[in-house]
Amino acid sequence: MQTSTSMAWCKSSLVMGVGKIFHSAPTIFHFRNDAPGHMQVGETFTIEPMLTQGSIDDVMWDDKWTYVTADGSLSAQFEHSLLITNSGAEILTV
């Protein structure tokens, strides 16, 4: 979890389900919230946070894939895929 006061999470970046449909349910926020729901055994999903040194607002480019911060500040985004199992979560990417 991000703890530096000079950086922030871009809050539109979400956890996405992985299945027959790309970017499927469940959709879960990367920050503390009161949204209902929880992960189910057998679900596979991605964690895709975007950490920024400036604005938490983002802009999608015309390619409908690339996101940048609204103020052009530096940011970093990474992704991991996880599978929920009976004993916890298995990381599928390294």
Side-chain angles (χ1 to χ4, degrees), residues 15-50:
V15 170
M16 301 290 183
V18 177
K20 293 180 180 180
I21 300 172
F22 191 56
H23 286 162
S24 60
T27 302
I28 300 172
F29 297 107
H30 284 111
F31 53 90
R32 292 184 195 275
N33 64 81
D34 294 325
H38 59 279
M39 306 305 295
Q40 303 288 326
V41 171
E43 288 182 327
T44 302
F45 63 98
T46 64
I47 297 176
E48 308 176 38
M50 181 175 166

Side-chain angles (χ1 to χ4, degrees), residues 22-90:
F22 191 56
H23 286 162
S24 60
T27 302
I28 300 172
F29 297 107
H30 284 111
F31 53 90
R32 292 184 195 275
N33 64 81
D34 294 325
H38 59 279
M39 306 305 295
Q40 303 288 326
V41 171
E43 288 182 327
T44 302
F45 63 98
T46 64
I47 297 176
E48 308 176 38
M50 181 175 166
L51 192 62
T52 175
Q53 288 186 320
S55 174
I56 61 170
D57 298 321
D58 59 48
V59 176
M60 181 189 285
W61 285 1
D62 291 340
D63 65 7
K64 305 290 187 209
W65 187 262
T66 306
Y67 282 91
V68 296
T69 56
D71 64 359
S73 62
L74 294 176
S75 64
Q77 188 271 338
F78 61 92
E79 179 175 331
H80 280 294
S81 296
L82 291 94
L83 169 65
I84 301 299
T85 68
N86 287 322
S87 60
E90 180 181 341

